[in-house]
Amino acid sequence: MTEEASGPTVLRILLGTQLRRLRESRGITAQQAAKAIRASESKISRIELGRNAFRELDIADLLTLYGITDKTEREQMLSLAGQANQPGWWHRYQDILPNWFQAYIGLEESAESIRSYDTQFVPGLLQTEDYSTAVLELGEFSLAETNRLVILRKERQRRFANGGLRLWAVIDEMALRRPVGGPLLMRAQLAHLIDISDRPGLTVQVTPFPAGASYAAPSSFSMLSFATDDLPDVVYVEQLTSALYLDKRMDVEHYGAAMDKVSSTSLTPQRSKEFISQLLEATEGST
């Protein structure tokens, strides 16, 4: 993973993974590690999962406990901790972004590929500005907050359009028919999907109903994959006031099988493009 592509979220996960492997290879318990840095076992867990900013003193003490005495190796890991503590580009939006979604942006920033299944709305990375605004207005945001969140979404889209991330988006037909913001806005959104459907790195499929996809995956979710073997795939499931981040192999395999089934029961990319065109034609004349 290049330095440019590595966001602080992923750097924390990488360092946490390395620390966990060191601890386990030495036969040291989480309780013993916690005692070495004058903390609780839960803090060791958060450090190893990459969910906490790192105190360099804690990392230094853990490295000493794990027998890492080589100066170069210690400096490399302490440098990694310093980089992981740097705020991401989205930090300036932290006053309006919940912590659980900031974590997602950090993962999205460094992902090599994302597979998503959306049942409610068009995926954020594929939304027009007006559609994004209409979706956000459904929430409890002020006008100023909505405007800033739209700018944030446009920045995420710009980074996606610049390459480096592959997106395979499976969209439920209901999400395309849901009248967000009115007919004119929806026609513009459908036209946008048609325009970008052949973009390199993007695959769009539509799940028509009834196709049985809801039995495989009753709600939206995304699977993020990274360019390094040190990072497992992560399944992201957004809820009303929080989100789940699943990286255990059993969970990832279960969701992977569900994604495969959803994809197999959906239209091919070419047929999906034709389907969206038909939806667009059917809305002509609507006001």
Side-chain angles (χ1 to χ4, degrees):
M1 183 176 296
T2 65
E3 183 176 342
E4 180 181 357
S6 299
T9 303
V10 169
L11 292 178
R12 287 199 301 269
I13 295 173
L14 283 172
L15 181 56
T17 299
Q18 292 178 24
L19 290 171
R20 175 179 55 78
R21 289 175 177 170
L22 284 173
R23 178 179 63 76
E24 292 177 345
S25 68
R26 269 62 171 180
I28 297 172
T29 67
Q31 184 178 29
Q32 292 170 323
K35 185 176 180 180
I37 62 170
R38 303 155 298 281
S40 63
E41 286 186 58
S42 63
K43 181 173 181 178
I44 292 296
S45 176
R46 292 194 299 272
I47 288 175
E48 293 182 350
L49 291 172
R51 294 177 182 169
N52 259 28
F54 300 117
R55 293 179 63 232
E56 291 194 22
L57 177 60
D58 290 340
I59 304 304
D61 287 344
L62 288 174
L63 293 176
T64 299
L65 177 65
Y66 302 156
I68 305 301
T69 58
D70 180 78
K71 182 178 179 181
T72 300
E73 187 173 1
R74 289 177 66 91
E75 287 179 350
Q76 287 176 344
M77 296 194 73
L78 289 171
S79 175
L80 183 59
Q83 295 175 53
N85 283 336
Q86 297 299 312
W89 62 266
W90 56 92
H91 181 74
R92 60 184 180 274
Y93 299 97
Q94 65 174 341
D95 59 316
I96 55 174
L97 281 179
N99 289 334
W100 50 266
F101 192 67
Q102 291 183 53
Y104 175 79
I105 296 178
L107 293 173
E108 179 185 89
E109 174 81 359
S110 298
E112 181 182 53
S113 64
I114 298 176
R115 296 180 71 187
S116 65
Y117 173 55
D118 289 271
T119 62
Q120 298 294 320
F121 303 108
V122 172
L125 291 178
L126 307 182
Q127 294 177 3
T128 64
E129 181 175 341
D130 288 341
Y131 185 95
S132 293
T133 300
V135 170
L136 290 166
E137 286 175 346
L138 297 174
E140 298 180 354
F141 300 107
S142 68
L143 177 60
E145 290 172 338
T146 296
N147 291 338
R148 290 178 65 201
L149 289 170
V150 170
I151 294 172
L152 169 65
R153 189 160 298 183
K154 288 171 66 177
E155 177 65 13
R156 289 169 55 206
Q157 293 173 347
R158 184 187 68 79
R159 290 168 181 268
F160 166 56
N162 285 343
L165 171 66
R166 299 195 308 274
L167 175 63
W168 185 345
V170 182
I171 310 171
D172 192 272
E173 178 181 348
M174 184 57 70
L176 299 177
R177 290 187 179 275
R178 180 166 285 107
V180 177
L184 287 175
L185 189 152
M186 284 305 302
R187 288 207 298 274
Q189 176 62 69
L190 293 174
H192 178 65
L193 286 176
I194 295 169
D195 289 341
I196 66 173
S197 61
D198 295 325
R199 176 189 293 174
L202 174 62
T203 301
V204 175
Q205 286 187 273
V206 174
T207 307
F209 54 83
S214 59
Y215 296 102
S219 63
S220 304
F221 68 97
S222 299
M223 298 185 65
L224 299 93
S225 300
F226 305 89
T228 172
D229 293 335
D230 288 332
L231 283 176
D233 290 352
V234 175
V235 175
Y236 171 77
V237 185
E238 188 170 316
Q239 300 174 326
L240 184 61
T241 58
S242 63
L244 296 177
Y245 292 88
L246 308 173
D247 61 1
K248 292 183 179 179
R249 177 174 295 181
M250 182 177 298
D251 292 330
V252 172
E253 289 179 349
H254 184 78
Y255 273 90
M259 184 67 81
D260 289 341
K261 184 172 183 180
V262 168
S263 179
S264 68
T265 57
S266 299
L267 302 175
T268 65
Q270 179 58 40
R271 183 67 187 93
S272 295
K273 184 177 181 179
E274 295 169 358
F275 184 88
I276 297 172
S277 296
Q278 291 168 3
L279 283 181
L280 180 58
E281 292 174 4
T283 63
E284 290 183 356
S286 301
T287 58

